Amino acid sequence: MMELVKVQEANGLSAFLEKHKVSRHPIIGGVLSGLQIGMAYVDNHVNAKLLVVYAVHEMIYLIGEIGGHDFEKWFQAELLPMARAFSEEDINIETYPRKDEAEMKNIFQRIPIKQGTRVAFDFSKEEYVSSNKKFNLPKEYKVAFIDRDILLKDHDDLLTDEILKFWHSTDLFLESGLGVAAYYKDKVIGACVSVYQHNGIKEIGINTYDTAHRGKGIASAMANLFIEECLKRGDTPNWTTELFRKDSIAIARKLGFVNERNYHSYYFLLEEV
């Protein structure tokens, strides 16, 4: 039913991606280019009607026309064992074009799929510059760009583990990606990294690992330094999150992300399947 898309075949899907308005999507593009971890499947390499992109630890994208109950059987047989191998706990799904809950439950009749809400933004350099945000961290906290020396000193491998969720190697990340680490004294407590990226658009993934250090402006300071470096490189930061992540939304709003819009996504727990 579906065939694996090799990196060298991805250019043949450019018209299909344009048609469905995802040609500049940093996560989909990152997978199709082979830069980040993931895989893609197409129903027909010559005349594609459906493309499935699995961005590991992020999202499964269903792009195009989904027809027949055979799709769910293929999804369960092909993608779910792979997701378990990557130690996923839940599966998140976005569709292009957008599908409502009734349509999704018609497609997934065996899988207990649920509807969620995600939030997307556009980045405005003008808004970011005009806001002129300065983040003064409490004493003993600092943020710094992730480089080879920082990875070598990260004895708990928190940063390495974060990077390797999405990138094939730390070498590739250091060469092509961008990341900021946060410290309390000499201990790594957070990271802000380009989890996926394509054509100069970097999808931001941000995490403060220890809840004791949250609420102190650490995530904002990491994201601010990340964005500053994006602009120096001529890149564009991208920010999407879930509606229930109020802290994430608040950070985005104060760092130049505008045109906030909500849209439906879908998810289910692997243990329920």
Side-chain angles (χ1 to χ4, degrees), residues 176-197:
S176 302
L178 174 61
V180 174
Y183 291 85
Y184 175 68
K185 298 181 179 179
D186 291 325
K187 179 179 175 59
V188 173
I189 60 164
C192 176
V193 301
S194 53
V195 289
Y196 283 88
Q197 62 183 56

Side-chain angles (χ1 to χ4, degrees), residues 13 21 24 29 71 93 110-111 113 129 143 164 182 184 186 192 200 217 222 232 240 271:
L13 295 168
K21 300 181 173 65
R24 289 179 52 78
F71 175 79
I93 299 173
R110 300 176 185 86
I111 294 172
I113 199 160
V129 171
V143 295
L164 294 180
Y184 175 68
D186 291 325
C192 176
M222 287 192 293
K232 288 178 184 177
T240 52
E271 66 180 15

Side-chain angles (χ1 to χ4, degrees), residues 47-217:
N47 183 26
K49 289 185 171 57
L50 174 62
L51 175 67
V52 178
V53 178
Y54 173 26
V56 174
H57 299 306
E58 185 70 23
M59 190 72 62
I60 293 178
Y61 298 93
L62 309 182
I63 308 162
E65 302 172 15
I66 307 169
H69 299 308
D70 286 345
F71 175 79
E72 185 179 23
K73 293 179 182 177
W74 172 84
F75 188 96
Q76 288 184 283
E78 186 70 31
L79 294 190
L80 297 194
M82 201 177 304
R84 290 189 173 96
F86 281 111
S87 301
E88 304 271 30
E89 294 182 358
D90 50 47
I91 296 295
N92 296 286
I93 299 173
E94 288 187 12
T95 62
Y96 294 88
R98 304 292 186 203
K99 295 189 180 300
D100 63 27
E101 189 173 13
E103 290 176 296
M104 291 298 284
K105 288 190 172 181
N106 185 52
I107 294 167
F108 294 100
Q109 297 188 5
R110 300 176 185 86
I111 294 172
I113 199 160
K114 303 175 182 68
Q115 183 174 275
T117 303
R118 289 182 63 79
V119 185
F121 301 84
D122 296 323
F123 179 72
S124 167
K125 179 179 177 180
E126 294 75 15
E127 186 70 22
Y128 173 75
V129 171
S130 66
S131 67
N132 193 28
K133 296 291 183 183
K134 300 297 181 184
F135 297 94
N136 297 314
L137 293 174
K139 187 180 179 182
E140 298 183 316
Y141 289 93
K142 67 176 181 178
V143 295
F145 291 114
I146 297 173
D147 58 18
R148 196 170 301 280
D149 287 340
I150 279 181
L151 291 181
L152 289 173
K153 293 174 183 175
D154 177 24
H155 301 300
D156 295 328
D157 286 334
L158 286 174
L159 298 175
T160 296
D161 290 346
E162 187 75 23
I163 290 166
L164 294 180
K165 288 179 183 177
F166 309 99
W167 292 76
H168 295 286
S169 69
T170 54
D171 286 340
L172 184 58
F173 173 80
L174 293 171
E175 176 186 336
S176 302
L178 174 61
V180 174
Y183 291 85
Y184 175 68
K185 298 181 179 179
D186 291 325
K187 179 179 175 59
V188 173
I189 60 164
C192 176
V193 301
S194 53
V195 289
Y196 283 88
Q197 62 183 56
H198 185 62
N199 283 350
I201 303 174
K202 288 178 162 54
E203 182 71 26
I204 294 175
I206 192 164
N207 194 358
T208 304
Y209 301 117
D210 189 337
T211 56
H213 299 286
R214 293 178 183 171
K216 301 178 186 294

Side-chain angles (χ1 to χ4, degrees), residues 1-6 9 40-45 74:
M1 177 186 179
M2 303 290 289
E3 300 176 0
L4 188 67
V5 178
K6 298 177 182 177
E9 298 169 332
Y41 299 85
V42 69
D43 64 335
N44 187 311
H45 284 276
W74 172 84

